[in-house]
Amino acid sequence: MENSLTKLDVKTLIDKNMELGYDETDAIIVTYDDIKEMQKGKETPLYKYSLIEYGTPATVGKYFMSQLKAIEKEKPGFLPLTIKKGASKKRAKLISNISIYTILTIVAGIVFIPLLILFMNSFKEGSAISLEPFVFPTGDKFVGVDNYLDGFKKMNFFMSLGYSLFITVASTLLILLFTSMTAWFLVRVKTIWTQIIYYMILFSQVVPFQLVMLPMNKLASIMNINNLFGIVLIYIAFGAGLSVFMYSGFVKSVPLEIEEAAMIDGCNPIQTFFKIVFPVLKPTTVTIAILNAMWIWNDYLLPSMILGTAAGTGKTTLPVAIQMANTGSYGSVSYGTFMAMITLTLIPIVIFYLFGQKYIIKGVTAGAVKG
């Protein structure tokens, strides 16, 4: 066939580039770059060399690349060192990326394994979980959704779910509202008192919860806040330290000029905060919301102390209700029901995390710009 690729010679392309004024080394480099462009499917080099009638860019590029490799094999040193270094860097980068993704995949698999074991054991009967926890449920070991139905009966699941949702949502929203306003005030109003308040709030992160839990529990009982609404206030207090710290770091990176412009336009401080400042805080707000929601949703110790541990009433959060409803006398545990209820409890917070996880790193690093 007259227009077949076998009629073509890569040296012809190099000569064309030399006619344009390139020396031999540069002509080879330009030709190599054009061939790489062809391999990517770009037609421009085909028109440049009048090769459009010889096939698709990828086909032509592949043919000429094989010629270059053959020449280099016969005459070592034909390809300039620049090309070899570039190819070596690309190979090294490819190997590096493959290694990184392989390691990350293995790590992700290790993290996912406990969740898989939890899920498959939620469909087993109790003795099978104890004897063969890593085996998929089959035959008599498979009990279907019986563990889930049993859990609903034992622990008043939906009432506990309502308690957990109310406490988590209310606490998180109020933490976001109060701590964002507090951080803005402490950053913008520079006095000795705001500095003292700021460091007192930060000091709360240093004090372990176990150190204050007994006095706090006693005080909550005296003040009669050991109830659904009282625990929200306690969560606000414990969540304030980290939230104020993260908000403060971000507020310091917000230009003061936009606030001054808003005040010149007639905004009072409240309007300035909610219309100008708070929308700018979105990345950090989402990050703080995720961190606090995950902590409050999964917390066991504080609800067990404040709301009590009465089994089956539903008047407590899911972690406490699951523990109390599935733990019997002499330390016996209904593992099948236990794992079924934990699986259901994980679903809402995992969904929430998946929707907002991309903001976590962005929010944390943004809050660390100035500090």
Side-chain angles (χ1 to χ4, degrees):
M1 185 176 178
E2 188 177 352
N3 291 337
S4 68
L5 288 173
T6 55
K7 302 286 186 179
L8 300 176
D9 185 2
V10 71
K11 292 181 180 179
T12 304
L13 308 186
I14 297 173
D15 291 340
K16 285 189 176 183
N17 282 314
M18 291 181 68
E19 290 173 4
L20 295 174
Y22 294 105
D23 61 27
E24 185 177 6
T25 300
D26 288 342
I28 295 173
I29 294 173
V30 171
T31 305
Y32 180 85
D33 291 340
D34 288 338
I35 291 173
K36 293 296 288 185
E37 290 294 301
M38 293 182 205
Q39 286 184 308
K40 294 177 183 177
K42 296 184 179 179
E43 294 188 352
T44 305
L46 293 183
Y47 288 100
K48 175 181 176 181
Y49 298 111
S50 302
L51 300 171
I52 191 65
E53 58 184 303
Y54 288 93
T56 63
T59 303
V60 177
K62 183 179 179 181
Y63 172 74
F64 281 126
M65 185 60 71
S66 65
Q67 281 198 349
L68 282 177
K69 290 179 179 178
I71 296 173
E72 174 64 22
K73 191 173 182 180
E74 292 178 5
K75 301 178 181 179
F78 172 76
L79 292 178
L81 192 60
T82 305
I83 293 177
K84 294 180 180 178
K85 286 184 177 179
S88 297
K89 286 182 180 179
K90 288 179 181 178
R91 283 195 296 270
K93 186 176 181 181
L94 178 62
I95 294 171
S96 175
N97 288 339
I98 292 174
S99 301
I100 290 172
Y101 282 110
T102 301
I103 293 171
L104 291 177
T105 302
I106 293 172
V107 172
I110 293 173
V111 172
F112 183 74
I113 287 173
L115 298 178
L116 176 62
I117 294 173
L118 173 71
F119 179 71
M120 70 182 189
N121 282 327
S122 68
F123 295 98
K124 291 181 183 177
E125 53 95 14
S127 60
I129 296 174
S130 302
L131 297 174
E132 299 177 330
F134 305 113
V135 178
F136 281 95
T138 55
D140 294 339
K141 301 171 186 175
F142 180 72
V143 295
V145 295
D146 289 352
N147 288 330
Y148 291 87
L149 297 176
D150 187 43
F152 289 145
K153 295 176 184 178
K154 283 183 177 180
M155 59 173 285
N156 203 339
F157 180 84
F158 291 106
M159 188 170 181
S160 296
L161 176 63
Y163 263 65
S164 284
L165 284 173
F166 175 81
I167 292 171
T168 302
V169 173
S171 300
T172 302
L173 290 178
L174 290 176
I175 287 173
L176 295 176
L177 175 65
F178 293 146
T179 58
S180 61
M181 297 177 72
T182 301
W184 181 59
F185 177 81
L186 294 177
V187 170
R188 295 302 187 221
V189 180
K190 298 184 182 298
T191 67
I192 185 64
W193 298 111
T194 57
Q195 290 294 310
I196 292 173
I197 294 172
Y198 176 72
Y199 286 112
M200 286 179 64
I201 292 174
L202 291 187
F203 180 73
S204 66
Q205 297 183 82
V206 180
V207 181
F209 172 74
Q210 291 78 5
L211 189 66
V212 298
M213 64 181 186
L214 294 179
M216 177 215 65
N217 192 32
K218 182 65 175 178
L219 186 62
S221 180
I222 294 173
M223 298 177 65
N224 198 28
I225 59 171
N226 51 349
N227 51 50
L228 181 62
F229 298 98
I231 195 173
V232 172
L233 297 177
I234 297 173
Y235 272 126
I236 294 172
F238 279 105
L242 178 62
S243 302
V244 169
F245 173 73
M246 293 182 64
Y247 268 129
S248 296
F250 194 93
V251 170
K252 290 175 183 177
S253 67
V254 177
L256 184 59
E257 289 76 12
I258 63 174
E259 299 174 30
E260 293 173 343
M263 292 183 180
I264 291 173
D265 289 339
C267 290
N268 59 41
I270 298 297
Q271 291 173 322
T272 300
F273 177 76
F274 284 105
K275 292 183 178 181
I276 305 299
V277 179
F278 193 70
V280 179
L281 302 178
K282 179 183 176 182
T284 297
T285 298
V286 176
T287 302
I288 295 172
I290 292 173
L291 296 177
N292 281 293
M294 292 178 66
W295 158 53
I296 296 170
W297 181 268
N298 294 317
D299 190 27
Y300 173 84
L301 188 55
L302 186 58
S304 66
M305 295 178 63
I306 301 299
L307 300 178
T309 57
T313 64
K315 295 182 179 181
T316 187
T317 59
L318 284 172
V320 179
I322 292 172
Q323 172 70 25
M324 294 302 105
N326 296 292
T327 303
S329 57
Y330 302 105
S332 63
V333 179
S334 177
Y335 285 109
T337 308
F338 203 102
M339 294 187 179
M341 294 300 98
I342 291 177
T343 301
L344 291 179
T345 304
L346 285 173
I347 294 174
I349 200 64
V350 168
I351 293 173
F352 178 65
Y353 176 80
L354 290 177
F355 276 104
Q357 57 88 23
K358 66 179 181 179
Y359 293 99
I360 288 185
I361 300 300
K362 185 190 297 185
V364 171
T365 55
V369 172
K370 294 183 180 179

